Amino acid sequence: MRYADDCNIYVRSQRAGQRVMNSVTRFLARRLKLKVNEAKSAVARPDRRKFLGFSFSSNKEPKRRISPKALLRCKQKIRELTRRTRGTSLEQMVKELTAYLRGWKSYFGFCQAPKPLRLLDHWIRHRLRSVIWKQWKRGRTRYAELVRRGIDPQLARQTAGSSDGPWHLADSPALHYALPNVYFDSLGLPRLFTGLA
């Protein structure tokens, strides 16, 4: 037997929602002998609820958006795949990340609010710059890698000798220029938001 175990019903008002909720609950219990999970069921505005990883904006014309929980799960997965302690090469890391992001995009690319995709793209590349900076380890190596990628020696020396942490330096002009978005494109990393420069 196949049946939907998760659904949303949209009506015009809170009162109508409560009425429909009561009648549907009674129908499911009496006719189909199914128990409704009251902890997961509610009457609420569409922008307050999520459904299969999506919710709606509260605009006059509502738009599909990715739910905050789905974005949080995505970031947690990306953190796992880009952990430095995994002892994997950057190429292997990007390969695994690419496989995950392609699947994620094919599902959530259906959203109509692109801002979270743009922010997620920026965060992923920021994280990868931080990972690369950590992999370079020593100041001498960092300086040489920056100069090799076209950074002015004075700026390279200043960045390589900085006491700021990898996360902070990943957003520095030197690393943005040395490791631009097109560099990650060349590794095969997909963009979730196609307008990313």
Side-chain angles (χ1 to χ4, degrees):
M1 179 179 178
R2 300 169 75 93
Y3 61 92
D5 66 344
D6 197 359
C7 69
N8 284 1
I9 300 173
Y10 298 97
V11 293
R12 291 184 67 86
S13 67
Q14 181 85 12
R15 181 182 290 181
Q18 198 59 61
R19 187 173 62 248
V20 170
M21 174 86 149
N22 294 338
S23 64
V24 167
T25 301
R26 277 197 308 273
F27 173 79
L28 291 171
R30 293 177 185 173
R31 295 286 298 275
L32 301 182
K33 309 299 182 195
L34 297 172
K35 186 178 179 180
V36 173
N37 186 333
E38 293 183 11
K40 291 185 177 180
S41 303
V43 176
R45 294 183 58 82
D47 59 315
R48 299 289 177 90
R49 302 292 291 172
K50 67 178 183 65
F51 183 62
L52 302 176
F54 288 95
S55 63
F56 288 98
S57 66
S58 56
N59 303 5
K60 190 172 182 180
E61 289 186 24
K63 293 183 177 180
R64 287 182 308 277
R65 64 180 184 187
I66 304 166
S67 74
K69 280 189 177 180
L71 285 169
L72 185 61
R73 280 196 301 272
C74 177
K75 290 181 97 167
Q76 286 171 341
K77 180 65 176 178
I78 291 166
R79 282 190 185 99
E80 287 173 24
L81 293 172
T82 57
R83 259 197 344 261
R84 190 168 58 103
T85 53
R86 292 180 67 219
T88 185
S89 68
L90 178 68
E91 289 73 19
Q92 181 61 29
M93 192 180 286
V94 170
K95 185 179 177 182
E96 293 173 16
L97 188 57
T98 295
Y100 173 72
L101 290 177
R102 281 196 177 134
W104 194 87
K105 183 182 179 180
S106 69
Y107 183 79
F108 286 105
F110 182 60
C111 77
Q112 296 172 306
K115 185 179 178 182
L117 297 179
R118 188 172 65 247
L119 293 175
L120 192 56
D121 262 334
H122 177 78
W123 181 82
I124 291 167
R125 282 147 185 81
H126 187 128
R127 186 164 176 84
L128 287 173
R129 287 185 188 103
S130 176
V131 167
I132 293 167
W133 190 248
K134 287 176 187 175
Q135 288 181 346
W136 288 345
K137 292 184 181 178
R138 296 181 179 84
R140 188 175 296 175
T141 305
R142 290 170 173 175
Y143 171 80
E145 290 288 352
L146 290 174
V147 170
R148 190 167 69 83
R149 286 168 167 77
I151 304 301
D152 177 78
Q154 186 177 345
L155 178 58
R157 192 175 297 110
Q158 181 184 339
T159 307
S162 173
S163 59
D164 290 329
W167 184 255
H168 180 82
L169 285 171
D171 206 27
S172 68
L175 263 72
H176 266 275
Y177 186 86
L179 301 167
N181 291 328
V182 291
Y183 168 72
F184 297 109
D185 292 345
S186 73
L187 295 177
L189 187 70
R191 299 187 185 210
L192 300 176
F193 177 68
T194 52
L196 182 67

